[in-house]
Amino acid sequence: MSVLVYTESENGTYKKTALEVASYAKGIADMMGTTATAVAINGGDTISLGAHGIDKVLNITNDALGDFNASAFAKAIAQAAKAEGAKVIVLSQSANAKYIAPLLAIELEAGYASNVVGLPESTSPFVVKRTAFTNKAFSNTEITTDVKIVGLGKNAFGLNETSGAAATEDFAVDLGDTSGVKVQSIDKATDKVAIADAEIVVSAGRGLKGPENWEMIEEMADILGAATACSKPVSDLGWRPHGEHVGQTGKPVAANLYIAIGISGAIQHLAGINSSKTKVVINNDPEAPFFKAADYGIVGDAFEIVPKLNEKLKAFKAANS
Amino acid sequence: MKILVCISHVPDTTSKINFTDGDTQFDTNGVQFVINPNDEFGLTRAMWFKEKQGASVDVVNVGGPETEPTLRKALAIGADSAIRVNTPATDGYQVAKELAKVVQDGGYDLVIAGRESIDYNGGMVPGMLAGLTGANFVNTCISLEVDGNTATTIREIDGGKEIATTSLPLVIGGQKGLVEESDLRIPNMRGIMMARKKPLNVVEPTGAAAETKAISFEKPAPKGAVKLVDNVDELIDLLHNEAKAI
Ligand SMILES: Cc1cc2nc3c(=O)[nH]c(=O)nc-3n(C[C@H](O)[C@H](O)[C@H](O)COP(=O)(O)OP(=O)(O)OC[C@H]3O[C@@H](n4cnc5c(N)ncnc54)[C@H](O)[C@@H]3O)c2cc1C
């Protein structure tokens, strides 16, 4: 009857989003008077999970799950959920978790609510608040099935450290044929922060005039340990790779800090980045709509301001680290 | 190859979002509806399969009669025929269940859906449909090639791309990248005329039940005014001491 949470790991380490969903699962477990169990697939040391509210970890070690395989992962998590008799299953909203969740929902005949922004308003009936209309509204959604799946938006809950330790059990799964979709290769820059993982995102738009002017953007990202992003036309023009396109039709951004440089703030752009906590805009047009959506702004020429800002940020970082 | 493209009928991206009936219903008053952007990329990719590999392309929507102009637009872009499952879309599962019936009855090899619709952002229909029909599934798909029974896909992952091979029957959750923005087609007069003559078949639903229920909607609290600063020192100070963001 515990709340089950899928804690994703990369190279044996649990990412911040995994610890966030662990904390959240513990929150739901408290509401329901039960405990939180994590399911880890080829995961690592479980100390960090115990320190975020997890009582028990079901550790699945299986070579067939070496490469990511959404349907096999869904099967494995479903078997863990059944073994635990879990009525609530929590996942993050990483690309892989979003890929797994609907398959898991079918495996478990469970209703699924994605992009959830906090603890349930009540657990019986089970009602969660989720974003809809690409961040332009919230929907209070009831999951009416016996088993429920909740996809928690990034940075929607935060981390809750506890003094607990998790008991770890090996859990064997029976996957059957896993040959449906076979990964051939992965193309991932190892020296760059992914937008999905980033606490800070430095984003630039058509105001930068051309791809040759991105050096100062990359420099700022470097100084801040941030990911780089861009507006849609910038990727359509081929100035930046498509993977950097954020907004309604691109990637969502739920960072702690979003810095927009030379971006006008069109409604489709804002829709995708609105759930970021603090927004900064640098734009030479005081009428740019982004100023209505931002927390802090500088009206001015990016080509003057950004180099100055980079110098000062470097000094700030040197003094504060 | 028989292709089915799932078309979600959604408010235009610039729409004002309001609710009626005590914040329980989306207010469609004055709202312009369009093909869901993620689906439009997929539809255009399907057109290429039709033109280069001789595929047939049907489009489908689960919804009331008000969605027919959106299906006609897909026909004007070049789809061969359209299917409307005559029931309001209530949640992702119910839609996936209804679509599964269409897929099974039509014997489709490839189903192209969008990674999410921009209205309710569920992000679950393609995966659930694959799960229900036993097809392979690739989400956030940004490139798709099919050769005989084999498909090569590229998926957007956090921080990069993943190349995979799979086989038909296949469902994808598509998005920009399947084709580029500049590849999207605006229906021309001839397409619009032809679309009027193409079949738009209305089929009755299986009556699948939803698993979730939107009880009410709310809008985000209005935002406070922006703090304008005129030098970078002040900005850094505010980000550090006030926002605690750096
Ligand atoms: C269906 C649909 C979906 C869309 N989805 C997305 C999406 O997901 N993401 C997205 O970003 N857009 C999206 N768009 C496009 C969106 O409407 C805007 O066209 C786009 O966001 C504008 O990009 P931009 O701000 O970079 O460019 P512009 O609107 O051209 O703005 C450039 C800005 O730079 C400023 N500027 C110019 N020079 C300088 C300088 N020297 N210093 C400082 N500032 C300067 C200008 O004042 C201006 O505000 C979508 C559109 C549609 C129709």
Side-chain angles (χ1 to χ4, degrees), chain A residues 204 207-218 239 303 306:
Chain A
L208 285 210
K209 314 271 192 284
E212 65 282 3
N213 296 323
W214 248 262
E215 219 168 283
M216 61 184 188
I217 303 300
E218 302 211 315
W239 295 359
F303 296 99
V306 174

Side-chain angles (χ1 to χ4, degrees), chain A residues 203-209 214 216 230-234 236 239 245-251 258 260-273 281-291 298-306, chain B residues 12-14 34-37 40-41 115 118 176 181 184:
Chain A
S203 188
R206 204 148 53 178
L208 285 210
K209 314 271 192 284
W214 248 262
M216 61 184 188
C230 70
S231 67
K232 177 163 173 285
V234 163
D236 287 338
W239 295 359
H245 160 200
V246 297
Q248 188 154 27
T249 50
K251 286 198 169 72
Y258 184 77
I261 300 163
I263 297 177
S264 58
I267 191 164
Q268 300 93 351
H269 185 87
L270 296 177
I273 61 96
V281 54
I282 299 171
N283 195 305
N284 62 3
D285 174 9
E287 300 298 319
F290 216 120
F291 285 104
I298 299 185
V299 178
D301 184 353
F303 296 99
E304 263 173 49
I305 292 163
V306 174
Chain B
D12 173 72
T13 53
T14 57
V34 296
I35 299 176
N36 182 44
E40 196 175 347
F41 291 108
R115 73 157 192 223
I118 63 166
K176 190 180 89 167
E181 180 81 22
L184 295 179

